Amino acid sequence: MTDEAIQRPGGRTARVRTAVLAATLQELGERGYAGMSLEGVAQRAGVHKTTVYRRWATKANLLLDAIATLAESEIPVPDTGDFVEDMRAFARTIAATITGQDGGAVVRGLFLGATESAAVRDFLHGFWATRFAQVRPLVQRAVERGELPADTDADEVIKHLGAPLYYRLLVTADGITLADADRAADAAVAAARAGVFARHPPSRPKR
Amino acid sequence: MTDEAIQRPGGRTARVRTAVLAATLQELGERGYAGMSLEGVAQRAGVHKTTVYRRWATKANLLLDAIATLAESEIPVPDTGDFVEDMRAFARTIAATITGQDGGAVVRGLFLGATESAAVRDFLHGFWATRFAQVRPLVQRAVERGELPADTDADEVIKHLGAPLYYRLLVTADGITLADADRAADAAVAAARAGVFARHPPSRPKR
């Protein structure tokens, strides 16, 4: 709970709501959704736990209200007159949001379970290194056949192939169809051909 | 625990290990990492909980051992002689794995928290629909300027822009640099230009 939240006008009910939702984001960021409790949120917000139970009843309601409050804020959508510039600026906005204070707490709280643990994170790095090494020849053969630029970073090709599928599963909670898998593959192919995954990429993707 | 696991040769220790790791994957899939317990795994595996505590001590160790066992299995890496075909086949393998029985349990257990809840999942669908609607004009303007095919599906462009960033955060547990953000943007741009996100995409990405 910040001083700003306490002093915001709107009466006691609005102040309590602001304090509880701010505390929810902080608890999410520190403990994750699974580790978060209504009691912990109440304590951090400096309100009685029955207040939180009466108004929100469940952790899920608390989470949804906190996200909805964040979602009310408009995000800056670039309009530079150039698609590459717009896309790059927007990608940087996403990156800053999902690694930042409030949005980052929500993302971590929603999606992180075991990746909160340093031991599991280290293990994952090893696991993925092994996986990428297994798949790397698929890309290297395409380079040898002259289908891709010689300095293509195979691991980046593989990551960009898998990312849209995990994204559907974990982030947007959508299903995955064969058409989705094909689209993910085709997108990585087009980007690889355009030199995006070159170790020294062109300053803009080749047309 | 499957009958196959019970009957596998290798003595009692190996049988217990196989049963416990199979039970771990099942518990992960049903309860997620946060909801999983050593007691629950022991009960499901039909072994005494002190056996599990003595050998693995923590949930994290149990999880790592279960993943390591899965990781020992080689994944089929396509080699059709054609990059588009190879990439599509591999994307389908990933899709099948992360939505399937064992690999799916690990992915869900590792990464899912609140998306296990139908209420939160429904909310997420609404949340993302709002976000995509906010960003859609960025893509539509590029279509109007003639930078992209007329029937480009703006939401797919936006999803493929964000996916590699969430993937680094949630799946590979890597950091996100500005170069990573730019690469994600450039990859989505190249794929969009190649017509991959057209509502009626070409049968292969345009060169």
Side-chain angles (χ1 to χ4, degrees):
Chain A
M1 190 170 69
T2 63
D3 289 336
E4 189 194 2
I6 298 171
Q7 288 157 14
R8 189 180 292 187
R12 193 182 120 70
T13 305
R15 282 200 308 276
V16 165
R17 180 168 183 269
T18 303
V20 167
L21 297 185
T24 300
L25 292 179
Q26 288 165 351
E27 287 278 302
L28 259 181
E30 287 180 18
R31 300 177 196 280
Y33 182 72
M36 191 181 97
S37 70
L38 294 189
E39 286 90 339
V41 168
Q43 194 168 14
R44 191 187 279 259
V47 304
H48 201 277
K49 67 178 180 183
T50 52
T51 306
V52 177
Y53 275 102
R54 207 168 44 230
R55 175 142 184 190
W56 285 277
T58 67
K59 273 204 301 186
N61 287 341
L62 207 49
L63 177 73
L64 297 187
D65 205 3
I67 303 178
T69 305
L70 272 187
E72 283 164 15
S73 62
E74 285 277 318
I75 41 169
V77 179
D79 184 11
T80 66
D82 179 276
F83 186 49
V84 174
E85 289 308 313
D86 281 357
M87 290 286 278
R88 287 181 164 193
F90 192 62
R92 289 177 173 213
T93 298
I94 294 177
T97 303
I98 65 181
T99 59
Q101 190 84 30
D102 280 359
V106 171
V107 171
R108 286 190 299 275
L110 276 175
F111 304 115
L112 288 195
T115 52
E116 279 168 2
S117 143
V120 175
R121 216 161 43 231
D122 288 349
F123 179 86
L124 276 180
H125 288 153
F127 172 77
W128 285 110
T130 307
R131 275 289 188 243
F132 294 144
Q134 285 177 343
V135 184
R136 215 170 280 147
L138 186 162
V139 179
Q140 287 164 338
R141 287 190 296 263
V143 170
E144 284 157 18
R145 289 192 302 263
E147 292 191 57
L148 295 181
D151 63 342
T152 297
D153 183 334
D155 289 16
E156 286 299 331
V157 181
I158 300 159
K159 288 177 186 176
H160 281 73
L161 168 70
L165 304 175
Y166 282 92
Y167 181 82
R168 294 185 70 92
L169 185 73
L170 304 174
V171 180
T172 57
D174 289 323
I176 304 176
T177 66
L178 290 182
D180 295 321
D182 284 353
R183 197 188 302 106
D186 289 356
V189 167
R193 285 179 180 164
V196 172
F197 306 128
R199 289 180 199 284
H200 303 286
S203 64
R204 295 168 55 92
K206 284 186 288 185
R207 297 203 70 120
Chain B
M1 188 169 69
T2 63
D3 290 335
E4 189 194 3
I6 298 171
Q7 287 157 15
R8 189 181 292 187
R12 192 181 122 71
T13 305
R15 282 200 308 276
V16 165
R17 180 168 184 269
T18 303
V20 168
L21 297 186
T24 300
L25 292 179
Q26 289 165 350
E27 288 277 302
L28 258 183
E30 288 180 18
R31 299 176 196 279
Y33 182 72
M36 192 181 97
S37 70
L38 294 189
E39 286 89 340
V41 168
Q43 193 168 13
R44 190 187 280 259
V47 304
H48 201 276
K49 68 179 180 180
T50 52
T51 307
V52 177
Y53 275 101
R54 208 169 43 232
R55 175 140 185 193
W56 286 277
T58 67
K59 272 203 301 186
N61 287 341
L62 207 49
L63 177 73
L64 298 187
D65 205 3
I67 303 178
T69 304
L70 273 187
E72 283 164 14
S73 62
E74 286 277 317
I75 41 170
V77 179
D79 185 10
T80 66
D82 178 276
F83 186 49
V84 174
E85 290 308 313
D86 281 358
M87 289 287 277
R88 287 182 163 191
F90 191 62
R92 289 177 173 214
T93 298
I94 294 178
T97 303
I98 65 180
T99 58
Q101 190 84 28
D102 279 0
V106 171
V107 171
R108 285 189 299 274
L110 277 175
F111 305 116
L112 287 195
T115 53
E116 280 167 4
S117 145
V120 175
R121 217 162 42 232
D122 288 348
F123 179 86
L124 276 179
H125 287 154
F127 173 78
W128 286 110
T130 307
R131 275 288 188 243
F132 294 146
Q134 287 178 342
V135 183
R136 216 170 280 147
L138 185 162
V139 180
Q140 286 164 339
R141 287 190 295 263
V143 170
E144 284 157 18
R145 290 191 302 263
E147 292 191 57
L148 295 180
D151 64 341
T152 298
D153 183 333
D155 289 16
E156 286 299 330
V157 180
I158 300 159
K159 287 177 187 175
H160 281 73
L161 167 70
L165 303 176
Y166 282 92
Y167 180 84
R168 293 184 71 92
L169 186 73
L170 304 174
V171 179
T172 57
D174 288 324
I176 303 175
T177 66
L178 290 181
D180 296 320
D182 285 352
R183 197 188 302 106
D186 290 356
V189 167
R193 284 178 181 165
V196 172
F197 305 128
R199 289 181 200 281
H200 303 286
S203 64
R204 295 168 55 90
K206 285 186 289 186
R207 300 202 66 119

